[in-house]
Amino acid sequence: MNELDVVGVRVEMPSNQPIVLLREVGGDRYLPIWIGPGEATAIAFAQQGMTPVRPLTHDLFKDVLEALGQQLTEVRITDLREGVFYAELVFTGGVEVSARPSDAIALALRTGTPIYGAEEVLAEAGIAIPDEQEDEVEKFREFLDQVSPEDFGGSAQ
């Protein structure tokens, strides 16, 4: 498993499909995952430190974990099958629960939990952009503006 950081959420045009972009820590690969608009909003709120007046689903889940004295220890992006990404939430004591990557990422951002990606997933869907090539990162952002889920044979998570 390779640690990943959340770069941010972007909207792919012209379909207006949100994408969460993850970056390999200590590596040069980026992992784009198409997500739903609700999860995109939840991820963006968490990244910006925004707290809604009433808790969103992911805020509620975090509050429930705290109330029960449980801790989310890591999030794992574990698999990619037929264009669909899979994730697991790992809790104190090693309990694992299957989750959509978008929900897992939104919860990880709220709890400060590290996110990891399986090497197989990064090898299949990751896009290498060396850190020293700043202009290449901009080209990648332009690529995100033009790419569609169908280009990866995938659908929204």
Side-chain angles (χ1 to χ4, degrees):
M1 289 283 180
N2 302 345
E3 188 169 2
L4 303 170
D5 281 336
V6 179
V7 175
V9 176
R10 296 183 58 101
V11 176
E12 182 269 325
M13 300 303 281
S15 70
N16 290 326
Q17 180 68 45
I19 299 170
V20 62
L21 182 62
L22 305 171
R23 178 182 56 222
E24 182 180 27
V25 174
D28 62 358
R29 292 179 289 186
Y30 288 75
L31 183 65
I33 300 176
W34 277 261
I35 60 176
E39 292 78 15
T41 299
I43 291 168
F45 273 19
Q47 279 200 298
Q48 296 168 7
M50 294 177 62
T51 304
V53 176
R54 298 293 302 146
L56 298 174
T57 304
H58 303 96
D59 301 304
L60 176 62
F61 194 171
K62 174 186 174 262
D63 292 345
V64 169
L65 287 174
E66 289 174 358
L68 295 174
Q70 291 296 309
Q71 183 178 3
L72 180 63
T73 59
E74 60 185 59
V75 163
R76 299 176 185 157
I77 311 298
T78 56
D79 202 2
L80 174 60
R81 293 185 302 241
E82 297 179 18
V84 177
F85 288 89
Y86 293 82
E88 292 176 350
L89 303 173
V90 182
F91 297 94
T92 307
V95 174
E96 298 178 9
V97 176
S98 179
R100 295 183 305 177
S102 54
D103 290 324
I105 293 165
L107 189 57
L109 288 172
R110 283 166 173 71
T111 58
T113 302
I115 302 168
Y116 297 95
E119 177 58 36
E120 298 80 14
V121 173
L122 288 165
E124 182 175 344
I127 300 169
I129 301 177
D131 284 340
E132 62 273 3
Q133 297 179 0
E134 291 298 324
D135 58 333
E136 292 299 317
V137 172
E138 186 55 38
K139 288 179 186 176
F140 182 68
R141 288 186 179 112
E142 292 172 13
F143 161 78
L144 281 179
D145 289 337
Q146 299 172 7
V147 73
S148 71
E150 292 77 26
D151 293 334
F152 290 91
S155 59
Q157 300 299 305

